[in-house]
Amino acid sequence: MDVEHRNMTPPKFTPNDLEEPRLGPFETLLLGGGLALFLALLYEMREFLSPPLIAIAATILLWPLRRYRSVRALLLSGGFLLLFWLLSQLRVVLIPFVVAYLLAYLSNPLVDLLERRLHVPRWVSALTVTVLVVGALAAILLLLIPTIVGQLVELIRQMLNSVGELRRWLYENPLLDRLEEVLPIDRQALIQQFTTFLQQQLNALTQSLPDALATVAQSIGSLLGALTVLAILPMLIFYTLKDYPKLRDALIGLFPKHNGRRDYLMYAGTVVGNYLRGQLLISLIAAFNVSVALLIFDVPFGLLIGLLAGLLNLIPNLGAVLTNIIALLIALLFGDPPLLDAVIVTGVLLGQGLLEASVLSPHILSHQVGLHPVLILLSLFVFGYFLGAFGLLIAVPTTAILVGFYQSYREAREKLAGATTPESTDVTE
């Protein structure tokens, strides 16, 4: 009985028994030869290879070694790069879906209001909001875009014609005479360089507009592709609004947890959503007010100045300064009379600024991001340097989210430090 019991006892393994056997000289030689042949195969297939094929081959090679932390980090970084490559390749296909989700994200509070307050079914409220959004977009495309493009083309044409007049005005300006007396400058060379620079910039602008339109047309593919996108966009907005809570929860589930929770994502969504909705509404009001006021006073390019005021209003602090500078230059160059139009433009923009500061921002933009003005300006310059115009639009909400993450992390660290520090009573004991 004891002998049978001893025979049934499972054998004991040591950690060395679980390790893979070491390769001998012959096996090492075979492994090196196989690696050389694999590299030769990659070289011969260099025209056929693509990032997905390379990622699959790398995964097959590294997967048996995934127990090592460095290998897991390499697989994760490779997957991250492959994901961004796929997004860049599919950006044209994903544009309608991104636009639909963004519009649904911005208009979802209205759907929730109709559903919860008025007890309207979700699909009915989603359909109603979709009709409103699509109608507004159609009105902008059909009514405003042709007029704005026409004014922009006329502005560029007049600026090209005014370069010669500007050159003559500079030659006759007594201010340069006084400047020559103080500084050792060549007046003719300075005027020549300045007018050449303006001519180059205007020529580049006139050439960039057709190139931009051609790029958009090529990215869409054809007129049929554009019509297809316009046709499916309302359907995408409706279904995204209808199932927005499910889609939002699914996207949140893709992100990692922080301290076992994903509250930081809800905070980020609240900050970005409130800020963007408030800023967009204030920008629309500013564009409408400035455009109507300048059209009433018959200021040249009034609609273009109003659109500029609305777009630049999305950039805090810096946008108002840029709007005033550009609007005053347009009024002084093309106004009739220039000084009167400049005074009108200044008064309209000043009135809009006072209305925004005293009425619109306190009531519409009730959820402030809580950032210091110096930090806001710093974020605008940094994001604008790296991402251009798009960086200026996302600088403030992104900075607010980063500050919120840092505050959440600091609070969690302080709580952890307070929990691990022994109390005074424990020390005395």
Side-chain angles (χ1 to χ4, degrees), residues 7-59:
N7 292 334
M8 293 177 62
T9 302
K12 296 182 179 180
F13 294 96
T14 62
N16 294 329
D17 296 331
L18 298 177
E19 295 180 357
E20 295 183 358
R22 295 183 178 181
L23 298 177
F26 182 70
E27 289 83 359
T28 304
L29 181 63
L30 288 179
L31 181 60
L35 182 60
L37 291 176
F38 181 76
L39 294 177
L41 178 63
L42 291 179
Y43 178 77
E44 292 296 330
M45 295 177 59
R46 60 187 181 276
E47 297 181 358
F48 177 73
L49 289 177
S50 63
L53 289 177
I54 296 175
I56 293 173
T59 304

Side-chain angles (χ1 to χ4, degrees), residues 349-365:
L349 292 178
L350 181 60
Q352 172 59 34
L354 292 175
L355 177 65
E356 180 179 338
S358 60
V359 178
L360 298 180
S361 293
H363 291 83
I364 296 177
L365 202 62

Side-chain angles (χ1 to χ4, degrees), residues 57-67 71-72 74-75:
T59 304
I60 294 174
L61 286 175
L62 298 177
W63 190 253
L65 304 175
R66 63 187 183 276
R67 64 179 181 274
V71 175
R72 292 198 301 269
L74 185 61
L75 289 173

Side-chain angles (χ1 to χ4, degrees), residues 110-112 114-115 120-130 241:
L110 182 57
V111 178
D112 292 338
L114 295 175
E115 183 184 10
V120 179
R122 179 81 187 184
W123 71 271
V124 176
S125 58
L127 180 61
T128 304
V129 174
T130 301
L241 276 174

